[in-house]
Amino acid sequence: MNDLSKLLARTIVASRPDSVDADASAEAHRALVNYVGCALGGADHEAMDITLEALGRFSGAGHADVIGRREKVDMPLAALLNGISSHVHDFDDTTPSNYIHPTSPVASALFAWAAVNPVSGADFVHAFAIGFDTVTRIGDATYPNHYAAGWHSTGSIGIFGAAVAIGKLMGLNEQKMLWAIGLAATQASGIRDNFGSMAKGFHPGHAARCGLEAAFLARAGFTTGATPLEGPRGFAAVTAGGQLDADGFVDGLGEMYRFGGNTYKPYPCGIVIHPTIELCSSINAGGVSPEDIEAVELRVAPLVRDLCDQRPTSGLQGKFSIYHAASIGLVRGQGQLSEFTDEAINDPQLVDMRDKVTAVADDSVGEDSVRAIVTLRNGQKIEKFLEASLGNLKRPLSNAQLDDKFFNQISVLDEGQARQVLDLCWNIGSIGNVGDLVRAAVPH
Amino acid sequence: MNDLSKLLARTIVASRPDSVDADASAEAHRALVNYVGCALGGADHEAMDITLEALGRFSGAGHADVIGRREKVDMPLAALLNGISSHVHDFDDTTPSNYIHPTSPVASALFAWAAVNPVSGADFVHAFAIGFDTVTRIGDATYPNHYAAGWHSTGSIGIFGAAVAIGKLMGLNEQKMLWAIGLAATQASGIRDNFGSMAKGFHPGHAARCGLEAAFLARAGFTTGATPLEGPRGFAAVTAGGQLDADGFVDGLGEMYRFGGNTYKPYPCGIVIHPTIELCSSINAGGVSPEDIEAVELRVAPLVRDLCDQRPTSGLQGKFSIYHAASIGLVRGQGQLSEFTDEAINDPQLVDMRDKVTAVADDSVGEDSVRAIVTLRNGQKIEKFLEASLGNLKRPLSNAQLDDKFFNQISVLDEGQARQVLDLCWNIGSIGNVGDLVRAAVPH
């Protein structure tokens, strides 16, 4: 479709807060609650300290607070840091239709903006909805080609959401919104070779920072090509083998903000190994002792092998290991942040169990499902199947479960402060200035 | 080849200034002379003012001078600005084996570094040679797939050169050099939809800035995957359909720094339309009046149509228009900066002439060549063929011609100051501190 980028720019410019319906707004609130919890949970990760050590020296006058940190930095660096903290534990949201973590790149830029510029909660949620919807539409329209090519689309597509969300708060006109999209397209990056390293968390941060800067450059008049998404040398042609489902892209554009497919993780790791953690934890809870296990065969969706076929040597790699997922379930009966540290990876009981696990790709197994066949030392076999794991679309986390998840990640704050932040998150759409929320999330 | 990225990191760490032979060093000097002239020539382009307006507000304490500007900014922003100025007129160097402009992304980072950190000319030229060689090797190993996919490889591959050049000056060890390469790979970006807009010039600047920051992050311990170039989800797989000529890549690695294929442009526009400008200028010089021309048919290499088939509406688009190239030769007998302004694009004589030009892709015509068949109003036909245009590998610009080109671009300096800068450039390998050169290039 010709002029898809222009149509997107025009639609965003025309969008009004009441374009976002109540269901989408409610889901936007859930996404932001989940996001802020994850940003707090990752705020003291060493990747944050390293980034500040490396780039803090270049920071301009420090106007912007960072969620969960005491340092003040410039707005683009705050966007980068928010993006790293919110994704580094791989605990943030996921849209299974395209395997993007859409909130991190968009909200990281928006909270950095709000740390400096007064913005009402209504405008903030509106801009967030636009950014989230843009990421989801581009992600859906280029899936699976873009992701299968090896892009970490949370970064390479997330950047569009950051650019248009900030561009909307700036009030860019159609031409400048198009340039913001063009500058996003031409900075889109992030490859999957980095899964299992700090650079995975870098991707949404970089997307947030570059997207934010794209909006600033566009506002000042920096020009780009006119067909950044659909052109013969545009984003879809260059990064997705030309796949761009224009009909799907425009379906409901500007009327239906695509929040319906978002999910929230109960476990801080790649979403496709969640069924395995849950099923193996249930086997553990059923009284099967790790010492009695001889071998474990998993039947998994082919994508699981594609993404998570590694024997990990670090906590970050463990987040993308189907073998580690089975082990923590069978040995510890859970998968929390403590199961994805370097220490956990080297726990002799988990090392031993990982060696007993094999995983077979099975087309008949869905990505929300898993089958486990556990052979005990006494020769007995236990076979269990999980149809739909917790946190996926069929069994979404409730608001109360999101609260619990939030409180499991607040180690940088005391509980009273965390409760205040959580209240502000649930009410973000009606607060007067979102900067108050950012400042409330700075440790006392 | 497994471990290509590690081999590259190890080779760079082991490289010593005397690893770069005299021929390569001499060509490195020519490249830097050409680069500084182009950076001066673009220093007052509106894309520079726009970038400073947009991003200057975030600049940290202003330690770094920018070539040809009076503002002081932080080091990464200086790298971005140097990259924009040196490429925005499309007048910088080109390696026809891969169509990359290799000096801009590498030298832009290095001059930003040198603006802040004392660095000897010998170390600077050594780091530049490493960066240039790395860009050229990755470019050659992934050509044509990477470029044909629609990447502007000056940005998407240039970033590797910036990262390793700065990493070398930092004295990174092998592990950290590998992470710098990994962080370059995961920020690699820049699509060809932007040819003919300011965003084309943005690409090497963004590469310089992100590459420089990659080195800072790696030094501080930011981790990446281990196979950024060759992995199944690495740079070559994701961006070049898996093309990575490992044998070519390692041939002479660490011993032969690949400067032999560099060329310097006599005209500030896409290199593949240079033959047309030269041939049409010679037709003009031969006494053919524009008023007498009825029609012009060009026979060009197929790549020319692929890259430069546009009917321009702006000066930047004119740099990628085979029709404009023919027109300026036939009407004005030259192609200087003045032929690629918005004003020139709208010059009625040039508009009129462009409409008379057609271009036919012809496999028998090389990329340094062109055939023109000019039909006059009186029915006479003039057919001319140019085998190898000036500035290409068979007819390189001499040092004296590089001097002339330099002085044609110094409008931001007076001639005396420009001469001082030029002298420092020709002697850069032996000056005590390259910061002196950067400061000498700031307008009085």
Side-chain angles (χ1 to χ4, degrees):
Chain A
M1 181 182 182
N2 292 332
D3 288 340
L4 200 67
S5 302
K6 278 184 190 166
L7 175 65
L8 176 62
R10 190 180 316 134
T11 304
I12 290 168
V13 169
S15 178
R16 298 284 166 262
D18 62 9
S19 307
V20 182
D21 69 25
D23 283 352
S25 178
E27 203 60 43
H29 279 70
R30 281 163 53 85
L32 290 169
V33 166
N34 184 68
Y35 167 86
V36 173
C38 292
L40 289 170
D44 61 353
H45 193 281
E46 65 173 323
M48 296 287 282
D49 300 323
I50 289 170
T51 303
L52 277 159
E53 181 191 334
L55 303 183
R57 74 193 70 207
F58 305 127
S59 179
H63 297 302
D65 283 307
V66 179
I67 295 170
R69 301 284 305 196
R70 289 196 182 83
E71 297 88 351
K72 280 178 183 281
V73 297
D74 65 45
M75 200 193 304
L77 183 55
L80 172 62
L81 289 164
N82 287 338
I84 294 173
S85 65
S86 59
H87 188 57
V88 72
H89 286 307
D90 245 293
F91 213 0
D92 50 327
D93 57 3
T94 311
T95 40
S97 63
N98 51 39
Y99 285 100
I100 293 174
H101 308 286
T103 295
S104 175
V106 181
S108 296
L110 284 171
F111 280 114
W113 170 276
V116 178
N117 302 286
V119 52
S120 74
D123 287 344
F124 185 98
V125 171
H126 180 217
F128 173 62
I130 286 171
F132 187 107
D133 183 67
T134 297
V135 172
T136 304
R137 286 176 186 276
I138 298 174
D140 289 347
T142 60
Y143 188 85
N145 278 21
H146 177 79
Y147 190 67
W151 293 104
H152 183 204
S153 37
T154 296
S156 55
I157 294 179
I159 188 172
F160 290 99
V164 298
I166 299 297
K168 183 64 183 177
L169 288 182
M170 288 176 166
L172 297 186
N173 65 21
E174 188 181 322
Q175 174 64 77
K176 291 185 172 181
M177 190 67 76
L178 179 63
W179 289 337
I181 295 167
L183 285 160
T186 217
Q187 296 180 82
S189 68
I191 59 176
R192 282 166 49 192
D193 190 63
N194 292 310
F195 279 25
S197 77
M198 292 178 195
K200 182 171 195 277
F202 179 80
H203 295 159
H206 189 60
R209 179 165 73 144
C210 293
L212 182 144
E213 291 184 352
F216 274 89
L217 285 161
R219 182 172 70 174
F222 208 98
T223 67
T224 72
T227 53
L229 290 171
E230 72 280 13
R233 302 298 184 207
F235 177 80
V238 178
T239 72
Q243 188 193 348
L244 185 66
D245 170 15
D247 291 341
F249 186 91
V250 302
D251 182 36
L253 180 67
E255 294 161 9
M256 199 273 288
Y257 288 74
R258 275 192 199 163
F259 279 92
N262 201 19
T263 69
Y264 309 96
K265 292 180 175 182
Y267 309 116
C269 58
I271 196 169
V272 296
I273 62 176
H274 286 200
T276 295
I277 297 174
E278 184 177 349
L279 184 62
C280 290
S281 296
S282 78
I283 292 171
N284 177 276
V288 175
S289 166
E291 291 75 31
D292 295 336
I293 295 175
E294 175 80 29
V296 182
E297 182 187 326
L298 303 171
R299 313 285 300 193
V300 297
L303 185 67
V304 180
R305 284 290 305 266
D306 182 40
L307 283 172
C308 296
D309 189 33
Q310 58 184 315
R311 300 282 174 175
T313 60
S314 72
L316 288 175
Q317 289 177 354
K319 293 173 182 289
F320 296 91
S321 167
I322 184 66
Y323 313 107
H324 189 63
S327 298
I328 58 178
L330 293 167
V331 173
R332 297 191 177 180
Q334 66 174 24
Q336 295 303 315
L337 290 176
S338 53
E339 275 64 58
F340 296 97
T341 62
D342 292 352
E343 198 182 9
I345 294 298
N346 295 313
D347 173 342
Q349 248 197 312
L350 292 173
V351 172
D352 185 51
M353 184 63 77
R354 284 202 299 271
D355 287 342
K356 298 178 180 171
V357 179
T358 54
V360 179
D362 184 334
D363 281 330
S364 72
V365 178
E367 289 163 15
D368 292 355
S369 310
V370 67
R371 183 180 305 280
I373 303 126
V374 177
T375 306
L376 301 184
R377 290 193 191 280
N378 65 11
Q380 188 192 344
K381 277 184 193 288
I382 302 168
E383 181 165 343
K384 287 217 174 194
F385 181 70
L386 177 66
E387 171 75 31
S389 69
L390 181 64
N392 282 309
L393 280 173
K394 293 171 201 151
R395 289 174 60 203
L397 292 193
S398 66
N399 288 0
Q401 286 171 316
L402 286 176
D403 284 351
D404 290 344
K405 179 179 171 183
F406 186 94
F407 281 111
N408 281 334
Q409 298 183 83
I410 57 157
S411 62
V412 300
L413 304 182
D414 64 39
E415 196 179 324
Q417 191 180 355
R419 185 163 301 280
Q420 187 198 358
V421 174
L422 181 59
D423 286 345
L424 286 166
C425 288
W426 280 120
N427 293 294
I428 189 169
S430 54
I431 63 182
N433 181 2
V434 179
D436 295 341
L437 190 161
V438 180
R439 285 180 282 280
V442 173
H444 290 322
Chain B
M1 180 181 184
N2 292 331
D3 287 341
L4 199 68
S5 302
K6 278 184 190 165
L7 174 65
L8 176 62
R10 190 180 316 134
T11 305
I12 290 168
V13 170
S15 177
R16 298 284 166 261
D18 62 10
S19 307
V20 182
D21 69 24
D23 283 352
S25 178
E27 202 60 42
H29 280 71
R30 281 163 53 85
L32 291 169
V33 165
N34 185 67
Y35 168 86
V36 173
C38 292
L40 289 169
D44 61 352
H45 193 281
E46 66 174 321
M48 297 287 281
D49 299 324
I50 289 170
T51 303
L52 277 159
E53 181 191 333
L55 303 183
R57 74 193 70 208
F58 305 128
S59 179
H63 297 301
D65 283 306
V66 179
I67 295 169
R69 300 285 305 197
R70 289 196 182 84
E71 297 87 352
K72 280 178 183 282
V73 297
D74 66 45
M75 200 194 300
L77 183 55
L80 172 62
L81 289 164
N82 287 337
I84 293 172
S85 64
S86 59
H87 189 57
V88 71
H89 285 307
D90 244 291
F91 213 0
D92 50 327
D93 58 3
T94 311
T95 40
S97 62
N98 51 37
Y99 285 100
I100 293 174
H101 308 286
T103 295
S104 174
V106 181
S108 296
L110 283 170
F111 279 115
W113 170 275
V116 178
N117 302 286
V119 52
S120 74
D123 287 343
F124 185 98
V125 171
H126 179 218
F128 173 61
I130 286 171
F132 187 106
D133 183 66
T134 297
V135 172
T136 303
R137 286 175 186 275
I138 297 174
D140 289 348
T142 59
Y143 188 86
N145 277 21
H146 178 79
Y147 191 67
W151 294 105
H152 183 204
S153 36
T154 295
S156 55
I157 295 180
I159 188 172
F160 290 99
V164 299
I166 298 298
K168 183 65 182 176
L169 289 182
M170 288 177 167
L172 297 187
N173 66 20
E174 188 181 321
Q175 173 64 75
K176 291 184 172 182
M177 191 66 78
L178 179 63
W179 290 337
I181 295 167
L183 285 160
T186 218
Q187 296 179 82
S189 67
I191 58 176
R192 282 165 51 192
D193 191 63
N194 292 311
F195 279 24
S197 77
M198 292 180 196
K200 182 170 194 277
F202 179 80
H203 295 158
H206 190 61
R209 178 165 74 144
C210 293
L212 182 144
E213 292 185 350
F216 275 89
L217 286 161
R219 182 171 71 173
F222 207 99
T223 67
T224 71
T227 54
L229 291 170
E230 73 278 14
R233 303 295 185 210
F235 178 80
V238 179
T239 72
Q243 188 192 349
L244 185 66
D245 171 15
D247 291 342
F249 186 90
V250 302
D251 182 36
L253 181 67
E255 294 160 9
M256 198 274 287
Y257 288 75
R258 274 190 201 166
F259 279 93
N262 201 19
T263 68
Y264 309 96
K265 292 179 172 181
Y267 308 115
C269 59
I271 197 170
V272 298
I273 61 175
H274 287 200
T276 295
I277 297 174
E278 184 177 350
L279 182 63
C280 290
S281 295
S282 78
I283 292 170
N284 177 276
V288 175
S289 167
E291 290 75 30
D292 294 337
I293 295 175
E294 174 80 27
V296 182
E297 182 186 326
L298 303 171
R299 313 285 299 192
V300 296
L303 185 67
V304 179
R305 283 291 304 265
D306 183 39
L307 283 172
C308 295
D309 189 33
Q310 58 184 316
R311 301 281 175 177
T313 60
S314 72
L316 287 175
Q317 289 176 355
K319 293 174 182 289
F320 297 91
S321 168
I322 184 65
Y323 313 107
H324 189 62
S327 297
I328 58 178
L330 293 166
V331 172
R332 297 190 178 180
Q334 66 173 24
Q336 295 303 314
L337 291 176
S338 53
E339 274 65 56
F340 296 97
T341 61
D342 291 352
E343 198 181 10
I345 293 299
N346 294 314
D347 173 343
Q349 249 198 310
L350 292 174
V351 171
D352 186 52
M353 185 61 78
R354 284 202 297 271
D355 288 341
K356 297 178 180 171
V357 179
T358 55
V360 179
D362 185 335
D363 281 329
S364 72
V365 178
E367 289 165 14
D368 292 353
S369 311
V370 67
R371 184 179 304 281
I373 303 125
V374 178
T375 305
L376 302 183
R377 289 192 191 281
N378 65 11
Q380 188 192 345
K381 277 185 194 289
I382 302 168
E383 181 164 344
K384 289 219 172 192
F385 181 69
L386 177 66
E387 170 74 30
S389 68
L390 181 65
N392 280 309
L393 281 172
K394 293 170 200 150
R395 289 174 61 203
L397 292 194
S398 66
N399 289 0
Q401 285 171 317
L402 286 176
D403 284 351
D404 290 344
K405 179 178 172 183
F406 186 95
F407 281 111
N408 280 335
Q409 297 183 82
I410 56 157
S411 61
V412 299
L413 304 182
D414 64 39
E415 196 178 325
Q417 189 181 356
R419 186 164 300 282
Q420 185 198 359
V421 173
L422 181 59
D423 286 347
L424 286 166
C425 288
W426 280 119
N427 293 293
I428 189 169
S430 55
I431 63 180
N433 181 4
V434 178
D436 295 341
L437 190 160
V438 179
R439 285 179 282 279
V442 173
H444 291 323

